[in-house]
Amino acid sequence: MKRNNLLSVILIMCSLSGCKKSDPDPVVNKGLSGNWAGDYQTQQAGSCSWSGPAVTATATFQVVNNTVTAIVTQTAGPTSVPTQFTGTIDGNTVSLSTANSAICNGTPRSYISRFGGTINGSTLTLVSRDTICPAQGCIFLKTIKLTRQ
């Protein structure tokens, strides 16, 4: 009978103090983590004139719980430009952002590029509409389309 009383006391104390199992290791999202490759395309969407071809893009994603860190590298000829992105993943929906800067009529300006998209099988498509220089109407639609490697 004493053993049952001791067990009852432990259970009551646990319920009052909020006993719980320790949190498991962070969940790694295997749906996005790893290496991807594809294209990074920029299209004119405003009155600021600019044109250019799609460039090759590679990306490495690390996901812990629903937090994403990515390095997306754009390569045009011998020049490669890596950019760090941060964001979230919820199911197959991915949201990423990165800080950017521009010079508009001689004045430096900072802005945030916000990409949103989805994973569909082994393909990830992310789109951003960036207003780089508002006064000049410099608005661009940026698309990153990647395939899991």
Short mmCIF file of all heavy atoms in Angstrom, two decimals, residues 43-80:
data_model
loop_
_atom_site.label_atom_id
_atom_site.label_comp_id
_atom_site.label_asym_id
_atom_site.label_seq_id
_atom_site.Cartn_x
_atom_site.Cartn_y
_atom_site.Cartn_z
N GLN A 43 12.86 39.85 -64.77
CA GLN A 43 12.11 40.45 -65.87
C GLN A 43 11.64 41.85 -65.45
O GLN A 43 11.24 42.05 -64.31
CB GLN A 43 10.87 39.62 -66.21
CG GLN A 43 11.19 38.25 -66.75
CD GLN A 43 9.91 37.45 -66.97
OE1 GLN A 43 9.05 37.39 -66.10
NE2 GLN A 43 9.80 36.85 -68.14
N GLN A 44 11.66 42.76 -66.40
CA GLN A 44 11.17 44.11 -66.16
C GLN A 44 9.67 44.06 -65.93
O GLN A 44 8.93 43.45 -66.69
CB GLN A 44 11.49 44.99 -67.37
CG GLN A 44 10.99 46.40 -67.25
CD GLN A 44 11.27 47.21 -68.52
OE1 GLN A 44 12.12 46.84 -69.32
NE2 GLN A 44 10.55 48.30 -68.68
N ALA A 45 9.19 44.69 -64.86
CA ALA A 45 7.76 44.75 -64.57
C ALA A 45 7.29 46.19 -64.43
O ALA A 45 6.11 46.45 -64.30
CB ALA A 45 7.45 43.97 -63.29
N GLY A 46 8.23 47.14 -64.43
CA GLY A 46 7.90 48.56 -64.30
C GLY A 46 8.42 49.32 -65.50
O GLY A 46 8.75 48.74 -66.53
N SER A 47 8.55 50.64 -65.35
CA SER A 47 8.97 51.48 -66.47
C SER A 47 10.48 51.66 -66.56
O SER A 47 10.97 52.25 -67.51
CB SER A 47 8.30 52.85 -66.34
OG SER A 47 8.66 53.45 -65.11
N CYS A 48 11.23 51.15 -65.60
CA CYS A 48 12.69 51.22 -65.63
C CYS A 48 13.18 50.19 -66.64
O CYS A 48 12.89 49.00 -66.52
CB CYS A 48 13.24 50.92 -64.24
SG CYS A 48 15.02 51.08 -64.10
N SER A 49 13.90 50.65 -67.67
CA SER A 49 14.31 49.70 -68.71
C SER A 49 15.54 48.91 -68.27
O SER A 49 16.50 49.44 -67.74
CB SER A 49 14.59 50.43 -70.02
OG SER A 49 15.67 51.31 -69.86
N TRP A 50 15.44 47.62 -68.47
CA TRP A 50 16.54 46.70 -68.20
C TRP A 50 16.16 45.37 -68.81
O TRP A 50 15.00 44.99 -68.81
CB TRP A 50 16.75 46.50 -66.70
CG TRP A 50 17.88 45.56 -66.39
CD1 TRP A 50 19.19 45.90 -66.25
CD2 TRP A 50 17.82 44.16 -66.21
NE1 TRP A 50 19.94 44.79 -65.99
CE2 TRP A 50 19.12 43.70 -65.96
CE3 TRP A 50 16.79 43.22 -66.25
CZ2 TRP A 50 19.42 42.36 -65.76
CZ3 TRP A 50 17.09 41.89 -66.04
CH2 TRP A 50 18.41 41.47 -65.79
N SER A 51 17.13 44.69 -69.31
CA SER A 51 16.88 43.35 -69.79
C SER A 51 18.14 42.54 -69.57
O SER A 51 19.24 43.07 -69.50
CB SER A 51 16.50 43.34 -71.27
OG SER A 51 17.57 43.83 -72.05
N GLY A 52 17.96 41.27 -69.45
CA GLY A 52 19.09 40.38 -69.25
C GLY A 52 18.62 38.94 -69.30
O GLY A 52 17.44 38.65 -69.06
N PRO A 53 19.53 38.05 -69.60
CA PRO A 53 19.16 36.64 -69.69
C PRO A 53 19.03 36.01 -68.30
O PRO A 53 19.52 36.55 -67.31
CB PRO A 53 20.35 36.03 -70.43
CG PRO A 53 21.51 36.88 -70.00
CD PRO A 53 20.94 38.28 -69.87
N ALA A 54 18.36 34.88 -68.26
CA ALA A 54 18.34 34.09 -67.03
C ALA A 54 19.76 33.62 -66.77
O ALA A 54 20.53 33.39 -67.70
CB ALA A 54 17.41 32.89 -67.19
N VAL A 55 20.13 33.55 -65.52
CA VAL A 55 21.47 33.08 -65.17
C VAL A 55 21.33 31.75 -64.43
O VAL A 55 20.27 31.43 -63.89
CB VAL A 55 22.24 34.11 -64.30
CG1 VAL A 55 22.44 35.40 -65.08
CG2 VAL A 55 21.53 34.38 -63.00
N THR A 56 22.41 31.01 -64.42
CA THR A 56 22.42 29.74 -63.70
C THR A 56 22.38 30.02 -62.20
O THR A 56 22.98 30.97 -61.72
CB THR A 56 23.71 28.95 -64.04
OG1 THR A 56 23.74 28.74 -65.44
CG2 THR A 56 23.75 27.62 -63.32
N ALA A 57 21.65 29.18 -61.47
CA ALA A 57 21.56 29.34 -60.02
C ALA A 57 21.75 28.00 -59.35
O ALA A 57 21.30 26.97 -59.85
CB ALA A 57 20.21 29.93 -59.63
N THR A 58 22.45 28.01 -58.23
CA THR A 58 22.54 26.85 -57.37
C THR A 58 22.14 27.30 -55.97
O THR A 58 22.30 28.48 -55.63
CB THR A 58 23.95 26.23 -57.34
OG1 THR A 58 24.88 27.23 -56.93
CG2 THR A 58 24.35 25.69 -58.70
N ALA A 59 21.62 26.38 -55.19
CA ALA A 59 21.19 26.74 -53.85
C ALA A 59 21.43 25.58 -52.91
O ALA A 59 21.31 24.42 -53.29
CB ALA A 59 19.72 27.12 -53.83
N THR A 60 21.79 25.93 -51.69
CA THR A 60 21.91 24.95 -50.61
C THR A 60 21.00 25.42 -49.50
O THR A 60 21.10 26.56 -49.04
CB THR A 60 23.36 24.85 -50.12
OG1 THR A 60 24.19 24.48 -51.22
CG2 THR A 60 23.48 23.81 -49.02
N PHE A 61 20.08 24.54 -49.08
CA PHE A 61 19.11 24.87 -48.04
C PHE A 61 19.40 24.05 -46.80
O PHE A 61 19.70 22.86 -46.88
CB PHE A 61 17.68 24.54 -48.51
CG PHE A 61 17.21 25.38 -49.65
CD1 PHE A 61 17.36 24.95 -50.95
CD2 PHE A 61 16.61 26.60 -49.42
CE1 PHE A 61 16.92 25.72 -52.01
CE2 PHE A 61 16.16 27.39 -50.47
CZ PHE A 61 16.32 26.94 -51.77
N GLN A 62 19.28 24.70 -45.66
CA GLN A 62 19.33 24.03 -44.37
C GLN A 62 18.04 24.39 -43.65
O GLN A 62 17.66 25.57 -43.59
CB GLN A 62 20.53 24.48 -43.54
CG GLN A 62 21.85 24.06 -44.13
CD GLN A 62 23.02 24.53 -43.30
OE1 GLN A 62 22.91 25.46 -42.51
NE2 GLN A 62 24.14 23.87 -43.46
N VAL A 63 17.35 23.36 -43.14
CA VAL A 63 16.07 23.58 -42.49
C VAL A 63 16.10 22.93 -41.12
O VAL A 63 16.43 21.75 -40.98
CB VAL A 63 14.91 22.98 -43.31
CG1 VAL A 63 13.58 23.25 -42.63
CG2 VAL A 63 14.92 23.52 -44.72
N VAL A 64 15.77 23.70 -40.10
CA VAL A 64 15.62 23.18 -38.75
C VAL A 64 14.26 23.66 -38.26
O VAL A 64 13.98 24.86 -38.27
CB VAL A 64 16.74 23.66 -37.81
CG1 VAL A 64 16.49 23.17 -36.40
CG2 VAL A 64 18.09 23.18 -38.31
N ASN A 65 13.42 22.69 -37.85
CA ASN A 65 12.02 22.97 -37.53
C ASN A 65 11.41 23.60 -38.77
O ASN A 65 11.43 22.99 -39.82
CB ASN A 65 11.87 23.79 -36.27
CG ASN A 65 12.34 23.04 -35.03
OD1 ASN A 65 12.18 21.81 -34.96
ND2 ASN A 65 12.92 23.73 -34.10
N ASN A 66 10.93 24.80 -38.74
CA ASN A 66 10.39 25.41 -39.95
C ASN A 66 11.22 26.62 -40.40
O ASN A 66 10.78 27.41 -41.21
CB ASN A 66 8.92 25.82 -39.74
CG ASN A 66 8.77 26.98 -38.77
OD1 ASN A 66 9.63 27.20 -37.92
ND2 ASN A 66 7.69 27.72 -38.88
N THR A 67 12.44 26.75 -39.87
CA THR A 67 13.31 27.88 -40.21
C THR A 67 14.29 27.47 -41.31
O THR A 67 14.95 26.44 -41.21
CB THR A 67 14.08 28.36 -38.97
OG1 THR A 67 13.12 28.74 -37.97
CG2 THR A 67 14.96 29.54 -39.30
N VAL A 68 14.37 28.30 -42.34
CA VAL A 68 15.20 28.01 -43.50
C VAL A 68 16.37 28.99 -43.57
O VAL A 68 16.18 30.19 -43.40
CB VAL A 68 14.39 28.13 -44.81
CG1 VAL A 68 15.25 27.85 -46.03
CG2 VAL A 68 13.17 27.23 -44.78
N THR A 69 17.55 28.47 -43.85
CA THR A 69 18.71 29.28 -44.20
C THR A 69 19.18 28.77 -45.55
O THR A 69 19.29 27.56 -45.75
CB THR A 69 19.84 29.14 -43.17
OG1 THR A 69 19.34 29.52 -41.89
CG2 THR A 69 21.02 30.03 -43.52
N ALA A 70 19.43 29.67 -46.48
CA ALA A 70 19.83 29.26 -47.83
C ALA A 70 20.93 30.15 -48.37
O ALA A 70 20.98 31.34 -48.06
CB ALA A 70 18.63 29.31 -48.77
N ILE A 71 21.78 29.55 -49.16
CA ILE A 71 22.74 30.31 -49.96
C ILE A 71 22.36 30.04 -51.42
O ILE A 71 22.38 28.89 -51.87
CB ILE A 71 24.20 29.86 -49.72
CG1 ILE A 71 24.61 30.05 -48.26
CG2 ILE A 71 25.15 30.60 -50.67
CD1 ILE A 71 24.68 31.48 -47.80
N VAL A 72 21.97 31.10 -52.12
CA VAL A 72 21.64 31.00 -53.54
C VAL A 72 22.74 31.70 -54.31
O VAL A 72 23.01 32.88 -54.06
CB VAL A 72 20.26 31.63 -53.85
CG1 VAL A 72 19.97 31.57 -55.34
CG2 VAL A 72 19.16 30.93 -53.05
N THR A 73 23.38 30.99 -55.21
CA THR A 73 24.48 31.55 -55.98
C THR A 73 24.05 31.72 -57.43
O THR A 73 23.63 30.75 -58.08
CB THR A 73 25.73 30.64 -55.90
OG1 THR A 73 26.09 30.49 -54.53
CG2 THR A 73 26.89 31.23 -56.68
N GLN A 74 24.16 32.96 -57.93
CA GLN A 74 23.88 33.25 -59.34
C GLN A 74 25.20 33.24 -60.09
O GLN A 74 26.17 33.86 -59.64
CB GLN A 74 23.24 34.62 -59.48
CG GLN A 74 21.93 34.76 -58.76
CD GLN A 74 21.43 36.19 -58.86
OE1 GLN A 74 21.24 36.71 -59.95
NE2 GLN A 74 21.22 36.82 -57.72
N THR A 75 25.24 32.55 -61.23
CA THR A 75 26.46 32.47 -62.02
C THR A 75 26.18 32.91 -63.45
O THR A 75 25.30 32.36 -64.10
CB THR A 75 27.03 31.04 -62.01
OG1 THR A 75 27.25 30.64 -60.66
CG2 THR A 75 28.35 30.96 -62.76
N ALA A 76 26.94 33.91 -63.90
CA ALA A 76 26.87 34.38 -65.29
C ALA A 76 28.30 34.40 -65.81
O ALA A 76 29.10 35.21 -65.35
CB ALA A 76 26.23 35.75 -65.36
N GLY A 77 28.62 33.49 -66.71
CA GLY A 77 29.99 33.39 -67.19
C GLY A 77 30.92 33.02 -66.05
O GLY A 77 30.61 32.13 -65.25
N PRO A 78 32.03 33.75 -65.90
CA PRO A 78 32.97 33.41 -64.83
C PRO A 78 32.62 34.02 -63.47
O PRO A 78 33.30 33.78 -62.48
CB PRO A 78 34.29 34.00 -65.34
CG PRO A 78 33.87 35.18 -66.16
CD PRO A 78 32.56 34.77 -66.80
N THR A 79 31.54 34.82 -63.42
CA THR A 79 31.20 35.52 -62.19
C THR A 79 30.10 34.80 -61.42
O THR A 79 29.04 34.51 -61.97
CB THR A 79 30.73 36.96 -62.50
OG1 THR A 79 31.76 37.61 -63.26
CG2 THR A 79 30.46 37.73 -61.23
N SER A 80 30.37 34.52 -60.15
CA SER A 80 29.38 33.91 -59.27
C SER A 80 29.13 34.83 -58.08
O SER A 80 30.06 35.35 -57.49
CB SER A 80 29.87 32.56 -58.74
OG SER A 80 29.94 31.64 -59.81
#
